[in-house]
Amino acid sequence: MSVLRTQVGIVGAGPAGLLLGHLLHLNGIDSVIVENRSRDYVIDRVRAGVLEQGTVDLLIAMGVGERLQREGLRHDGLYISFSGHRHHIDMADLTGGKAITVYGQNEVVKDLIDTRLSTARPLFFEAEDVSVEALESSSPLVRFRHDGADHEIRCDFIAGCDGFHGVCRPSIPEGVLTTYERVYPFGWLGILAEAAPSSTELVYTLHQRGFALFSMRSPTITRLYLQVPPDEPIDNWPDEAIWEEMLARMTTRDGWMPSVGRIVQKGVTPMRSFVATPMRYGRLFLAGDAAHIVPPTGAKGLNLAASDVLVLARALKAYYEHRRTDWLDEYSNVCLRRVWKAQRFSWWMTTTLHRSPDETAFDHQRQIADLDYLTSSRAAMTSLAEQYVGLPMEVGLDSVGLSSTPHRVS
Ligand SMILES: Cc1cc2nc3c(=O)[nH]c(=O)nc-3n(C[C@H](O)[C@H](O)[C@H](O)COP(=O)(O)OP(=O)(O)OC[C@H]3O[C@@H](n4cnc5c(N)ncnc54)[C@H](O)[C@@H]3O)c2cc1C
């Protein structure tokens, strides 16, 4: 069996694990990343696409934003559509110049993997039987099999960045965590289509037939979503039926509609809100989807993963440089302040824009009134805008030795 020694063992090479690995590297802290999927699988997984201003600033300050600055699509606003009309919300105007950037999660992950490999610090793909042990000791372990051999990593700390279905959270003894959960009675059918986006900004639609979202990944690829039942088999949806439903829900009275093209990827995602507290057990720290899940309506999941690992990197830096443990102790509480605000926002976006199977006619009229108020009140639009572009990170980039200059993606 091979035994490796490192300072921080990171389980999972999604956005949380890769970002943490590089933040630690930039601060001279050693880590080993262990991922159970292949490199291609991790890069090809199509998921998030909306980066908050703070996430963009973090990636650029870390030196991994070069392609993001070249290829990312800056959006100063978004549209809310209901009763056949689109209403524009100018987020940059309402937030003093902040924006979101559309840049696929798979592109972020690709950039982070390339950067990790260039540092020559270890990153194992296709690790089997990953487990974490001795979490309460001062030398916790990550064990796995790789290329037919057993490996053991002896660490000072373990970062559980292995997503909602990973091994880290379930390794915490029963009774330690308190969990909060809401499962929604709908899911999203998402498609990627070879069609030039017919709007330069996202369009969130509440229609009689349910929610729909128009978004994009590039100047030639449109990304669209439809509300469907949570367990809807994708085979129920031939491509023509998907386009028929997309057009029925999204077309507005002024004739705007998504451009139609060849569907190159489709799938159904259930929606849930979930938080496990505290985000720490002994020397194991949970970050990102391993600790919390939001429904994708507010586009917050990847952004929360980024803000968690910034807080964790600050605490680990202070530990290694000054033997401070207070920021490690505060990690969970500091993260949860932002996590719960993002939970609230994501829940609000979801319940305001989707039709629930048990809703009454009153509920639907209230939703319309909510959207009418939202799109006609500068105060309400400002509230949405400042949450959508991202509430401030709980700790500054300077706390991990980075410049905190805001950046603009053209
Ligand atoms: C359809 C959809 C749309 C979304 N849209 C947005 C959006 O617009 N904006 C946004 O911010 N968020 C969005 N999200 C959420 C976002 O994708 C997640 O929040 C984000 O991926 C979380 O990153 P993470 O690193 O915490 O977890 P993950 O990305 O899940 O990464 C965890 C990693 O750990 C690995 N792993 C799992 N188990 C093990 C194990 N036993 N051993 C080793 N490795 C393991 C996994 O393979 C994975 O690579 C969306 C999600 C979906 C599904």
Side-chain angles (χ1 to χ4, degrees):
M1 179 175 74
S2 108
V3 177
L4 278 166
R5 162 88 201 123
T6 191
Q7 290 172 301
V8 183
I10 300 176
V11 184
L18 291 164
L19 275 169
L20 179 65
H22 197 54
L23 281 171
L24 296 180
H25 166 77
L26 293 173
N27 285 282
I29 301 168
D30 191 32
S31 66
V32 176
I33 305 180
V34 178
E35 162 65 48
N36 67 350
R37 299 290 194 158
S38 70
R39 179 179 174 173
D40 286 348
Y41 181 92
V42 171
I43 289 176
D44 290 342
R45 196 164 38 194
V46 178
R47 296 175 85 185
V50 173
L51 305 183
E52 293 176 352
Q53 180 73 54
T55 306
V56 168
D57 292 343
L58 174 65
L59 289 166
I60 294 172
M62 288 171 68
V64 291
E66 197 226 331
R67 206 159 61 90
L68 160 67
Q69 280 178 292
R70 220 175 42 239
E71 298 176 16
L73 306 172
R74 177 187 159 100
H75 289 197
D76 283 335
L78 56 75
Y79 290 93
I80 300 286
S81 178
F82 61 99
S83 306
H85 297 283
R86 280 187 304 161
H87 303 261
H88 190 242
I89 297 185
D90 188 338
M91 297 187 294
D93 176 50
L94 295 161
T95 61
K98 293 184 186 162
I100 53 140
T101 298
V102 171
Y103 188 65
Q105 176 169 331
N106 48 329
E107 307 298 343
V108 173
V109 165
K110 184 172 186 304
D111 295 345
L112 288 167
I113 289 175
D114 289 346
T115 305
R116 174 73 182 188
L117 297 178
S118 73
T119 67
R121 295 205 193 263
L123 164 51
F124 291 89
F125 287 105
E126 299 182 68
E128 295 167 60
D129 300 329
V130 180
S131 65
V132 293
E133 293 165 31
L135 302 176
E136 283 176 285
S137 78
S138 58
S139 186
L141 306 172
V142 180
R143 291 187 207 272
F144 60 101
R145 284 182 68 73
H146 189 256
D147 279 344
D150 289 325
H151 295 261
E152 178 179 291
I153 310 174
R154 297 186 183 160
C155 326
D156 298 333
F157 300 97
I158 296 175
C161 300
D162 50 348
F164 187 66
H165 299 289
V167 289
C168 289
R169 196 181 66 252
S171 302
I172 297 174
E174 214 166 299
V176 171
L177 297 179
T178 302
T179 58
Y180 304 84
E181 186 167 29
R182 172 180 285 250
V183 176
Y184 297 87
F186 36 73
W188 277 12
L189 188 163
I191 62 165
L192 275 181
E194 288 174 340
S198 59
S199 163
T200 51
E201 292 174 347
L202 274 65
V203 185
Y204 283 84
T205 299
L206 172 65
H207 186 270
Q208 284 288 346
R209 301 168 69 93
F211 170 81
L213 173 61
F214 172 92
S215 72
M216 66 295 289
R217 282 293 182 272
S218 76
T220 54
I221 300 287
T222 300
R223 177 97 168 124
L224 303 176
Y225 300 95
L226 274 184
Q227 171 186 348
V228 292
D231 47 4
E232 182 82 334
I234 192 67
D235 294 344
N236 284 2
W237 288 87
D239 293 1
E240 314 73 59
I242 293 177
W243 281 120
E244 198 180 313
E245 193 62 24
M246 292 285 180
L247 294 174
R249 294 192 195 181
M250 291 192 211
T251 303
T252 46
R253 289 196 191 153
D254 60 5
W256 177 82
M257 65 178 80
S259 333
V260 175
R262 190 169 75 89
I263 295 177
V264 289
Q265 200 257 354
K266 60 183 174 182
V268 174
T269 315
M271 316 230 324
R272 78 169 80 215
S273 303
F274 174 88
V275 181
T277 68
M279 291 167 58
R280 173 191 185 174
Y281 174 69
R283 292 255 176 155
L284 169 68
F285 291 81
L286 301 176
D289 278 16
H292 41 73
I293 293 278
V294 283
T297 328
K300 292 287 167 243
L302 186 159
N303 296 292
L304 283 180
S307 53
D308 285 354
V309 297
L310 176 62
V311 179
L312 185 53
R314 173 189 79 146
L316 291 167
K317 177 179 164 71
Y319 174 82
Y320 285 112
E321 289 180 0
H322 309 292
R323 292 288 146 185
R324 279 183 69 164
T325 54
D326 53 334
W327 282 351
L328 289 168
D329 294 340
E330 286 172 22
Y331 166 73
S332 180
N333 285 341
V334 172
C335 290
L336 286 168
R337 282 206 292 270
R338 196 168 195 275
V339 166
W340 273 114
K341 280 178 253 181
Q343 287 288 355
R344 192 213 67 79
F345 178 67
S346 303
W347 163 86
W348 177 79
M349 288 281 283
T350 302
T351 52
T352 304
L353 287 161
H354 290 70
R355 301 216 60 185
S356 184
D358 60 359
E359 74 176 28
T360 61
F362 176 89
D363 294 327
H364 188 55
Q365 290 309 315
R366 184 198 48 74
Q367 281 180 308
I368 301 288
D370 223 335
L371 295 175
D372 193 10
Y373 170 63
L374 168 67
T375 52
S376 56
S377 153
R378 189 171 171 90
M381 284 191 280
T382 304
S383 172
L384 177 128
E386 68 181 11
Q387 295 180 84
Y388 200 81
V389 300
L391 294 174
M393 300 276 192
E394 292 290 332
V395 306
L397 299 193
D398 52 349
S399 67
V400 290
L402 299 175
S403 151
S404 49
T405 319
H407 290 274
R408 192 185 160 88
V409 173
S410 56

